[in-house]
Amino acid sequence: MEFDHVAQQVPDIAEAVAWQVRTVPGSRVLHEDPTWALVESGGAKLAFVLADQHPAHLAFRVSDDELERLAQENGATIATHRDATRSIYLQGPGSLATEIISYPEATGAG
């Protein structure tokens, strides 16, 4: 398991991306559309998400087998996303959301 990204809820994806790129030197946009974005800043990935679509969360990358095991162990349903990643969200103490994510092996993306 390795850290993948942190997700922050924002009201406007484009505005958040523009601010991040303008404010943090060397930031680069990995993905952006009207519903979510992924920016790399200072060696960390930051996802900007809309409140009605994703919780604020920390995400950890695992293999497909580990994702399957953790989903079964936690009674969670695996969702497949439009970028072909698969994940589950687990709710921890104090409303801390954790996403466990696996990437398609063919792309090695992430």
Side-chain angles (χ1 to χ4, degrees):
M1 181 178 296
E2 65 184 49
F3 179 76
D4 191 72
H5 67 271
V6 61
Q8 175 68 47
Q9 292 178 339
V10 297
D12 184 295
I13 301 298
E15 180 181 37
V17 168
W19 186 90
Q20 186 75 15
V21 169
R22 184 175 65 248
T23 305
V24 181
S27 292
R28 64 186 184 108
V29 179
L30 303 176
H31 175 84
E32 181 180 358
D33 69 33
T35 63
W36 73 282
L38 188 62
V39 177
E40 186 175 52
S41 295
K45 290 189 288 183
L46 175 60
F48 293 115
V49 297
L50 298 175
D52 64 342
Q53 295 188 14
H54 298 279
H57 62 271
L58 298 176
F60 296 89
R61 183 176 182 168
V62 297
S63 68
D64 284 336
D65 289 342
E66 184 73 354
L67 178 65
E68 296 282 345
R69 184 187 72 74
L70 288 168
Q72 183 175 12
E73 186 177 289
N74 288 281
T77 301
I78 297 172
T80 301
H81 305 287
R82 61 187 153 210
D83 63 356
T85 58
R86 301 170 63 226
S87 72
I88 59 174
Y89 284 96
L90 302 175
Q91 197 68 33
S95 299
L96 175 63
T98 298
E99 180 182 24
I100 307 296
I101 188 169
S102 70
Y103 286 82
E105 292 197 24
T107 65

